[in-house]
């Protein structure tokens, strides 16, 4: 019986995780209000969905080791998208068609059941990127805890004909439109240009290939991973993660990018007519975002808060990988705005508030410090040209993470060269630095998420400072006024 077999392999993983979890969760860099693995490795968010009154989030997971390996699906659920509960491992690589990994995918409710769609990965020669077989498979649950893989898997056994690479064919994201289900899949052409495939199904089991929905032109990557297509106020938004976009000026300095295009999908032809590519985040650690619609009709996005091939110092302590905080996506014309989920306010305690503070040179404020905090501020920048905020400052160790604004160049710069252990570097993004600038920052033990001007720019990074690195200071070349500044501890 396949079901029994799956349960044994999953149970072994759960038993292993149960023994490890206390060890990693007390580690100084273990995040307090973000989703993290209880043991081992985490990458992409998967199956982000609302089912039976709760939010479910799955993730690429290698429970036995803090490095990428045969992929399982880890699983957490939440009633409010703020507090998450860990559940048993949902999928394990235990069938012929997924024996080397249950790769990324999505989830949808159908007839009261929770249906997962994911990519089964098989290496035909060990770890060789072009010696693989990728198929699309399904798993079903009635209770949102235990998932069974039906006997008719895989539901899509090979890539379609045409200028479509036969092997790299993965990461199904499913949605319903009118009477049918649709799926986008990450793909590339035979000559290595990233593209997205569109499929249609009446029942989530029989899938018909519709068209290559979108294809990159120019410097747009050799493979598009983790596509996601959704309607936002009458426009179709395609989110995807192109691998291999070359750096251009200040842009595209991470190994891989994640961004979006906005357009109109013609469901009859399967073609997306779309405009310019924009990044979703301008920091260091943001990849493979996935969205869902919440019970209030908002579009909520979560991404992997790390980057492939980036040094991860927590691996020495037996764990690696995290999710971003949930973010709300809204659209104004052809741009998306990304803001923190408002319900994260429920984590706030011990408010400290300051008003009309004049900064000259460098200033710290009483009680504005911490390693698990939120900062919300409005800055009057009219008398400053170069100014910024230092976070996680440890003077004795010479550590600081610097967010700097420059009015002359119109740039915001995030500098983690002195952040502690782990990778350094700077990331720069253009920003209209208005006279009144809104800044909201979420700090957790080894993460920083920065939201500027109501979600016009977001910058996310992992950092690995000392436990003493709790200082916050403000600096300016001329004069800067903190019109209002609030700080909360987050619990
Ligand atoms: C993206 C990705 C996906 C794949 C998964 C494997 O980060 O490479 O394309 O399904 O990770 O873990």
């Amino acid at each position: 019986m396949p079901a029994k077999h799956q349960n044994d392999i999953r149970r072994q993983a759960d038993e292993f995780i149960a023994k490890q979890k206390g060890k990693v969760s007390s580690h100084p860099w273990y995040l307090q209000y973000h989703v993290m693995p209880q043991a081992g490795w985490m990458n992409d968010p998967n199956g982000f969905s609302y089912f039976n009154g709760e939010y479910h989030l799955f993730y690429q997971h290698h429970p036995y080791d803090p490095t990428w390996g045969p992929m399982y699906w880890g699983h957490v659920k939440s009633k409010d998208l703020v507090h998450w509960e860990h559940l048993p491992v949902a999928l394990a690589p235990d069938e012929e068609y997924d024996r080397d990994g249950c790769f990324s995918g999505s989830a949808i409710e159908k007839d009261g059941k929770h249906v997962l769609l994911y990519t089964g990965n098989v290496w035909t020669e060990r770890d060789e990127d072009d010696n693989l077989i990728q198929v699309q498979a399904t798993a079903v649950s009635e209770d949102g805890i235990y998932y069974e893989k039906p006997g008719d898997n895989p539901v899509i056994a090979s890539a379609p004909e045409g200028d479509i690479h036969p092997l790299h064919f993965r990461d199904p994201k499913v949605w319903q439109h009118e009477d049918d289900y649709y799926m986008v899949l990450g793909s590339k052409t035979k000559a290595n240009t990233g593209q997205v495939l569109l499929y249609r199904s009446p029942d989530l089991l029989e899938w018909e290939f519709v068209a290559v929905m979108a294809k990159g032109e120019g410097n747009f990557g050799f493979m598009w991973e983790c596509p996601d297509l959704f309607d936002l106020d009458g426009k179709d938004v395609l989110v995807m993660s192109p691998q291999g976009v070359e750096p251009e000026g200040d842009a595209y300095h991470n190994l891989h990018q994640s961004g979006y295009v906005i357009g109109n999908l013609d469901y009859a032809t399967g073609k997306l007519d779309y405009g310019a590519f924009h990044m979703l985040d301008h920091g260091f650690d943001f990849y493979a975002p996935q969205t869902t619609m919440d019970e209030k009709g908002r579009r909520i996005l979560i991404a992997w808060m790390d980057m492939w091939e980036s040094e991860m110092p927590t691996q020495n302590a037996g764990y690696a990988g995290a999710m971003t905080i949930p973010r709300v996506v809204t659209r104004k014309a052809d741009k998306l705005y990304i803001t923190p989920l408002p319900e994260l306010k429920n984590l706030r305690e011990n408010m400290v508030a300051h008003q009309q503070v004049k900064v000259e040179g460098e200033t710290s404020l009483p009680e504005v410090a911490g390693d698990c905090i939120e900062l919300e501020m409005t800055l009057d920048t009219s008398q400053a040209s170069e100014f910024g905020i230092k976070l996680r400052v440890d003077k004795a160790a010479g550590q600081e993470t610097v967010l700097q604004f420059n009015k002359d160049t119109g740039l915001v710069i995030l500098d983690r060269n002195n952040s502690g252990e782990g990778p350094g570097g700077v990331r720069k993004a253009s920003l209209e630095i208005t006279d009144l600038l809104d800044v909201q920052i979420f700090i957790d033990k080894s993460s920083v998420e920065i939201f500027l001007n109501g979600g016009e720019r977001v910058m996310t990074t992992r950092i690995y400072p000392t436990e003493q690195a709790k200082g916050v200071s403000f600096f300016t070349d001329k004069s800067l006024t903190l019109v209002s500044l609030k700080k909360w501890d987050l619990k």
Side-chain angles (χ1 to χ4, degrees), residues 172-312:
K173 175 78 200 288
V174 180
W175 73 100
Q176 195 174 359
H177 176 75
E178 296 176 350
D179 292 337
D180 283 315
Y181 296 96
Y182 288 82
M183 170 199 285
V184 275
L185 273 169
S187 167
K188 59 179 176 176
T189 65
K190 288 176 177 151
N192 290 326
T193 298
Q195 60 186 6
V196 170
L197 311 180
L198 181 69
Y199 278 76
R200 177 169 43 226
S201 168
D203 57 6
L204 298 174
L205 294 171
E206 296 285 325
W207 288 95
E208 169 202 359
F209 173 58
V210 184
V212 173
M213 193 178 89
K215 176 157 62 175
E217 268 168 39
N219 179 25
F220 213 165
F222 58 78
M223 167 77 197
W224 288 2
E225 296 189 309
C226 300
D228 188 351
L229 189 286
F230 53 89
D231 171 281
L232 202 54
D233 302 329
K235 285 281 180 190
D236 295 302
V237 179
L238 172 64
V239 163
M240 78 303 225
S241 295
Q243 292 181 290
V245 178
E246 294 296 328
E248 275 175 26
D250 292 328
Y252 313 143
H253 286 272
N254 292 337
L255 181 64
H256 301 312
Q257 319 305 320
S258 294
Y260 66 93
V261 295
I262 297 182
N264 296 300
L265 173 61
D266 180 337
Y267 277 87
T269 62
K271 295 286 179 192
L272 179 75
D273 178 19
Y274 63 89
F277 177 70
H278 299 286
M279 301 283 284
L280 279 162
D281 191 289
H282 289 79
F284 298 87
D285 292 294
F286 181 94
Y287 196 63
Q290 191 173 84
T291 72
T292 193
M293 192 194 274
D294 78 352
E295 54 176 336
K296 297 177 183 149
R298 298 175 301 183
R299 184 56 55 175
I300 312 291
L301 176 146
I302 289 186
W304 182 37
M305 191 164 57
D306 285 286
M307 182 50 64
W308 288 111
E309 291 175 40
S310 181
E311 195 191 331
M312 299 176 185

Side-chain angles (χ1 to χ4, degrees), residues 43-44 60 68 71 103-104 170-171 225-226 243 287-288 304 308:
N43 59 287
D44 312 0
Q60 291 286 281
W68 191 79
M71 283 291 108
F103 276 17
S104 284
R170 59 177 173 269
D171 310 337
E225 296 189 309
C226 300
Q243 292 181 290
Y287 196 63
W304 182 37
W308 288 111

Side-chain angles (χ1 to χ4, degrees), residues 118-426:
Y118 70 98
T119 298
N121 187 66
V122 171
W123 305 122
T124 47
E125 280 175 45
R126 191 72 216 152
D127 282 357
E128 284 292 326
D129 216 28
D130 274 325
N131 292 303
L132 46 79
I133 301 172
Q134 298 192 326
V135 300
Q136 315 316 321
T138 176
V140 182
S141 174
E142 298 200 357
D143 60 5
I145 301 173
Y146 296 104
Y147 291 79
E148 304 293 348
K149 299 174 186 171
D152 38 13
N153 263 344
V155 291
I156 306 177
S158 62
E161 300 290 305
D163 188 10
I164 295 165
H165 197 286
L167 306 180
H168 290 269
F169 170 61
R170 59 177 173 269
D171 310 337
K173 175 78 200 288
V174 180
W175 73 100
Q176 195 174 359
H177 176 75
E178 296 176 350
D179 292 337
D180 283 315
Y181 296 96
Y182 288 82
M183 170 199 285
V184 275
L185 273 169
S187 167
K188 59 179 176 176
T189 65
K190 288 176 177 151
N192 290 326
T193 298
Q195 60 186 6
V196 170
L197 311 180
L198 181 69
Y199 278 76
R200 177 169 43 226
S201 168
D203 57 6
L204 298 174
L205 294 171
E206 296 285 325
W207 288 95
E208 169 202 359
F209 173 58
V210 184
V212 173
M213 193 178 89
K215 176 157 62 175
E217 268 168 39
N219 179 25
F220 213 165
F222 58 78
M223 167 77 197
W224 288 2
E225 296 189 309
C226 300
D228 188 351
L229 189 286
F230 53 89
D231 171 281
L232 202 54
D233 302 329
K235 285 281 180 190
D236 295 302
V237 179
L238 172 64
V239 163
M240 78 303 225
S241 295
Q243 292 181 290
V245 178
E246 294 296 328
E248 275 175 26
D250 292 328
Y252 313 143
H253 286 272
N254 292 337
L255 181 64
H256 301 312
Q257 319 305 320
S258 294
Y260 66 93
V261 295
I262 297 182
N264 296 300
L265 173 61
D266 180 337
Y267 277 87
T269 62
K271 295 286 179 192
L272 179 75
D273 178 19
Y274 63 89
F277 177 70
H278 299 286
M279 301 283 284
L280 279 162
D281 191 289
H282 289 79
F284 298 87
D285 292 294
F286 181 94
Y287 196 63
Q290 191 173 84
T291 72
T292 193
M293 192 194 274
D294 78 352
E295 54 176 336
K296 297 177 183 149
R298 298 175 301 183
R299 184 56 55 175
I300 312 291
L301 176 146
I302 289 186
W304 182 37
M305 191 164 57
D306 285 286
M307 182 50 64
W308 288 111
E309 291 175 40
S310 181
E311 195 191 331
M312 299 176 185
T314 62
Q315 284 173 323
N316 298 329
Y319 67 104
M323 294 293 144
T324 63
I325 54 170
R327 303 171 179 187
V328 181
V329 182
T330 51
R331 181 174 71 80
K332 286 185 203 150
D334 60 353
K335 292 269 170 58
L336 296 185
Y337 286 72
I338 313 288
T339 47
L341 183 85
E343 290 85 338
L344 291 166
K345 290 184 179 133
N346 297 333
L347 298 172
R348 290 172 173 175
E349 56 181 21
N350 306 330
M351 183 172 84
V352 174
H354 293 271
Q355 277 182 339
Q356 299 298 340
V357 180
K358 227 182 178 74
V359 178
E360 260 145 29
E362 190 168 335
T363 312
S364 297
L365 299 178
E367 292 178 77
V368 177
D371 61 4
C372 193
I373 59 173
E374 180 189 340
L375 296 166
E376 193 180 69
M377 64 196 90
T378 302
L379 308 179
D380 180 343
T381 73
S382 56
Q383 305 302 313
S385 57
E386 201 170 81
F387 59 94
I389 310 163
K390 296 183 180 175
L391 306 165
R392 301 297 307 269
V393 179
D394 176 349
K395 284 225 168 83
Q399 290 182 4
E400 58 188 28
T401 298
V402 186
L403 179 68
Q404 186 189 310
F405 300 87
N406 189 310
K407 275 200 150 176
D408 301 329
T409 57
L411 288 177
V412 50
I413 303 172
L414 178 60
D415 182 340
R416 64 171 185 187
N417 278 322
N418 298 308
S419 292
E421 286 185 47
V426 296

